[in-house]
Amino acid sequence: MDEHKENIQGKDVNVKMSEETEDEKTKPCSRIRPDEETAPQTSQPNRDFSHPVYKEISLANGHINRMSKDELRIKLAELKLDTRGVKDVMKKRLKNYYKKQKLVQSAAEGGPTDTYYDYICVVDFEATCEEDNPSDFLHEIIEFPMVLINTHTLQIVDTFQAYVKPEVNPQLSDFCMKLTGITQQTVDEADPFPEVLHKVVEWLQERELGTKYKYAILTDGAWDMSKFLNIQCRISRIRYPQFAKKWINIRKAYCNFYKLPRTQTKLSTMLEKLGMKYEGRPHSGLDDSRNIARIAIRMLQDGCQLRVNERMHGGQLLSVPSSAPVEGAPPPRNPGNTE
């Protein structure tokens, strides 16, 4: 629902937005200063960046900044790295290759390391919609997909998909069925949201996420958790699940990492900038999630340290500063009823 989410962003008033988040809508992603590129984000507070490895990284960055696009492509090819993408993407890829090499060597010698989560779980809901959504329209989740990335192997290792029977507007609009490819019969035969959420929790628990393995939720924008899940929990009269209260907004991470404007963070555009094409059916929740996962994997390959950058608190959508300690999502539990 990539483009359609853009259309409803300003219309849905079912969740309060903090002033900080509203401001972020009207300005491009914050730019990373050149001197910040040499200091990777870390889960360990008060890190000493005087370690010699960071000077070496800084010198390599300076050399890469002076390279032409052709020189970057030649060097990437020599290192057997991906040569696709615009100049800024290739530059970032090369810088982070050398950064990772230096940090791996440093870790072997007892120096700084570069690790966050064991798994990243991509979620991209499909929800009921109309071509021109009225301001009071309640979007109900009708597809709950998840794609699991192993951050150590950089592979998609598992998927989950369940359709959901809507309660308030059980009849799908023609526009919704055409957009998502989900039929009326599919949702009629599906379980209601509380039962689907129970299956989701069981799926996460079976993979020992939040207990044995550290993990985080990742979404394409803020809407999935702050709007769709928030609204759905109210409709279903259940509490908002704790494990979904913090997540990685890949759009924010993408534009900050590659230093691109927020106008270039639609799913199709992000893929294009990375030299990739969409695979599957657009607006299928599972296919969208797979393609978002492909972007996340490419960013990890390029050296991006994906970390939680948004959260829900007291019904408000808030940003998580990069200075905050890095924490994985809590063990998944079924939320109680609100009544």
Side-chain angles (χ1 to χ4, degrees):
M1 293 189 76
D2 183 45
E3 287 81 3
H4 195 62
K5 288 177 183 175
E6 294 279 5
N7 294 336
I8 69 169
Q9 182 178 7
K11 295 180 180 181
D12 200 326
V13 295
N14 289 279
V15 59
K16 297 181 288 183
M17 308 291 283
S18 69
E19 292 181 2
E20 176 184 16
T21 306
E22 288 291 347
D23 290 342
E24 288 177 356
K25 293 180 188 175
T26 60
K27 66 182 181 182
C29 286
S30 59
R31 299 275 179 161
I32 303 174
R33 298 194 306 273
D35 60 334
E36 288 180 330
E37 291 183 359
T38 65
Q41 295 173 344
T42 173
S43 59
Q44 299 178 21
N46 303 319
R47 169 157 292 175
D48 180 10
F49 291 110
S50 64
H51 191 282
V53 69
Y54 295 112
K55 183 176 181 180
E56 295 177 22
I57 293 171
S58 179
L59 291 172
N61 284 347
H63 176 69
I64 293 168
N65 283 334
R66 295 188 291 272
M67 295 174 72
S68 67
K69 187 173 182 179
D70 287 340
E71 289 173 330
L72 288 166
R73 186 174 284 114
I74 291 170
K75 179 55 69 174
L76 288 168
E78 288 178 0
L79 296 170
K80 295 182 170 50
L81 298 175
D82 198 321
T83 60
R84 294 176 293 178
V86 296
K87 183 178 180 180
D88 284 343
V89 168
M90 290 193 293
K91 187 186 297 183
K92 197 72 177 181
R93 184 173 298 143
L94 188 56
K95 286 181 180 180
N96 283 283
Y97 169 81
Y98 285 115
K99 183 185 76 174
K100 291 184 78 172
Q101 293 297 309
K102 294 294 184 183
L103 288 174
V104 167
Q105 179 183 352
S106 173
E109 297 170 354
T113 58
D114 198 13
T115 307
Y116 281 156
Y117 314 105
D118 297 308
Y119 291 92
I120 290 176
C121 189
V122 181
V123 178
D124 193 76
F125 298 124
E126 295 303 317
T128 55
C129 56
E130 297 179 0
E131 190 165 6
D132 295 308
N133 292 306
S135 59
D136 60 347
F137 187 83
L138 292 177
H139 299 276
E140 298 175 82
I141 294 172
I142 53 175
E143 182 184 357
F144 199 136
M146 290 188 293
V147 171
L148 193 62
I149 301 169
N150 183 319
T151 62
H152 303 292
T153 64
L154 298 181
Q155 298 288 328
I156 293 174
V157 293
D158 212 341
T159 62
F160 173 92
Q161 182 188 38
Y163 294 103
V164 185
K165 185 175 185 177
E167 177 182 341
V168 177
N169 295 299
Q171 188 70 34
L172 301 182
S173 67
D174 291 339
F175 173 80
C176 183
M177 289 189 285
K178 183 177 180 181
L179 179 73
T180 65
I182 299 173
T183 67
Q184 186 63 49
Q185 181 179 355
T186 297
V187 295
D188 286 344
E189 296 174 353
D191 291 325
F193 183 78
E195 293 182 26
V196 170
L197 183 59
H198 184 78
K199 293 178 181 178
V200 167
V201 169
E202 284 186 343
W203 188 85
L204 294 170
Q205 289 175 338
E206 287 169 359
R207 283 143 190 82
E208 300 181 279
L209 301 180
T211 51
K212 183 176 180 180
Y213 301 108
K214 191 173 182 179
Y215 78 110
I217 303 294
L218 182 146
T219 65
D220 177 29
W223 316 278
D224 291 275
M225 299 302 164
S226 69
K227 293 180 181 292
F228 294 151
L229 184 57
N230 192 39
I231 293 168
Q232 185 62 61
C233 287
R234 294 181 185 181
I235 291 172
S236 299
R237 296 168 293 281
I238 59 176
R239 299 186 188 281
Y240 190 101
Q242 288 289 329
F243 69 87
K245 285 195 172 183
K246 295 181 180 179
W247 62 90
I248 301 166
N249 180 339
I250 197 170
R251 295 194 180 202
K252 282 186 176 181
Y254 178 92
C255 67
N256 280 329
F257 182 68
Y258 293 119
K259 299 185 180 179
L260 297 172
R262 294 196 69 178
T263 55
Q264 297 184 16
T265 58
K266 287 187 178 181
L267 178 54
S268 57
T269 306
M270 288 191 288
L271 287 166
E272 180 184 350
K273 289 291 180 182
L274 294 174
M276 298 189 290
K277 294 183 179 179
Y278 187 96
E279 296 179 356
R281 186 196 188 284
H283 307 300
S284 156
L286 185 57
D287 285 348
D288 281 353
S289 297
R290 286 183 183 276
N291 282 278
I292 296 164
R294 291 173 61 215
I295 294 170
I297 290 171
R298 176 61 58 80
M299 292 177 69
L300 291 168
Q301 290 172 335
D302 285 350
C304 179
Q305 294 174 291
L306 291 170
R307 57 172 290 163
V308 165
N309 53 22
E310 289 184 340
R311 66 189 179 101
M312 287 290 290
H313 180 72
Q316 291 186 336
L317 170 62
L318 302 173
S319 292
V320 175
S322 59
S323 58
V326 177
E327 299 176 346
R333 299 283 186 269
N334 284 300
N337 298 330
T338 56
E339 297 177 351

